[in-house]
């Protein structure tokens, strides 16, 4: 049992070193400024939710570049109940 735990620990450490740490050390693909300028969002706590989710998607290789990051945010906003307005801004919908 102890040997299995040690092997699992080694595997987790290797995965962190090879896959997670390089992503987290690099620059973010999108910033809060991008969320304001590209999506017309107002700064607030929701920015952290979006940016943290984006980093998770990046670590999981769902997102690899700026273009795919923008698409990911668009999908995320749509799933969160936001719609793109005529003024090219994402706004929260009110569903009754």
């Amino acid at each position: 049992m102890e040997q299995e735990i040690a092997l699992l620990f080694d595997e987790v450490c290797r995965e962190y070193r090879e896959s997670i740490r390089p992503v987290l050390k690099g620059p973010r693909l999108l910033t809060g400024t991008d969320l304001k300028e590209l999506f017309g969002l107002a700064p607030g706590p929701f920015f952290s939710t979006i940016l943290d989710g984006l980093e998770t998607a990046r670590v999981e290789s769902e997102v690899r570049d700026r273009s795919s990051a923008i698409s990911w945010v668009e999908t995320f906003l749509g799933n969160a109940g936001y719609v793109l307005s005529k003024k090219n801004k994402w706004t929260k919908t009110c569903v009754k």
Side-chain angles (χ1 to χ4, degrees), residues 1-2 4 6 11 29 32-34 37 59 63-65 68 70 72 82 89 91 93:
M1 178 74 154
E2 213 171 283
E4 292 170 351
E11 186 178 329
L29 295 174
T33 301
D34 294 317
E37 292 176 359
V59 166
V63 171
R64 294 188 183 271
D65 55 21
S68 61
I70 291 169
W72 185 92
Y82 283 73
K89 291 186 177 185
T91 56
T93 59

Side-chain angles (χ1 to χ4, degrees), residues 44-88:
F46 192 47
F47 272 31
S48 291
T49 302
I50 295 169
L51 295 173
D52 290 347
L54 181 57
E55 287 303 297
T56 299
R58 190 172 175 197
V59 166
E60 294 173 353
S61 298
E62 294 175 33
V63 171
R64 294 188 183 271
D65 55 21
R66 185 172 171 83
S67 176
S68 61
I70 291 169
S71 294
W72 185 92
V73 172
E74 289 172 344
T75 300
F76 182 88
L77 290 173
N79 290 337
Y82 283 73
V83 295
L84 189 58
S85 72
K86 292 178 183 177
K87 295 181 180 182
N88 209 28

